[in-house]
Amino acid sequence: MTMGERIKQLRKGLGMSQDDLADAIGANRVTISRYETDTYYPSVPALERLAVALRTTPSKLTGGTDDDSDKWELSESIRRDPNLRILFEQTKKAK
């Protein structure tokens, strides 16, 4: 399965239109269409935004191994939750 096919499958699985996904990542529908047909590939920042919007990891989108998925999900949780971020920063300072 290509990256474009994975993007399309995940988007449809979440009940999102191309416009919905485009809005979620700050792109336009044509860009999403190009990603899904593998005529254009996302930059690393766009890939990260796609992964968040599609509730997956960049590694899963690209078809690579997912050895670091737990670390990525944890870092996303820390980034999104202010309480976790404070706890993480306090833990780092304590070391």
Side-chain angles (χ1 to χ4, degrees):
M1 180 180 284
T2 69
M3 180 167 54
E5 291 168 337
R6 279 188 287 282
I7 291 169
K8 185 174 184 177
Q9 180 182 50
L10 289 165
R11 175 182 61 77
K12 286 187 169 194
L14 292 170
M16 298 174 81
S17 68
Q18 287 182 336
D19 285 319
D20 294 334
L21 182 55
D23 289 344
I25 69 164
N28 61 52
R29 187 198 55 76
V30 173
T31 299
I32 301 303
S33 176
R34 289 178 179 162
Y35 291 163
E36 291 183 354
T37 57
D38 295 302
T39 56
Y40 189 78
Y41 296 97
S43 64
V44 172
L47 182 64
E48 290 171 346
R49 290 190 302 272
L50 279 167
V52 170
L54 295 171
R55 300 180 187 155
T56 190
T57 63
S59 181
K60 285 182 182 177
L61 283 179
T62 60
T65 61
D66 207 23
D67 296 338
D68 292 332
S69 66
D70 290 339
K71 291 178 191 174
W72 188 85
E73 289 171 12
L74 178 60
S75 69
E76 279 300 299
S77 296
I78 291 169
R79 186 180 68 80
R80 289 180 176 190
D81 185 328
N83 294 322
L84 282 176
R85 192 169 42 247
I86 291 167
L87 180 61
F88 178 73
E89 291 299 324
Q90 290 173 345
T91 304
K92 278 184 12 182
K93 288 177 185 175
K95 285 186 175 184

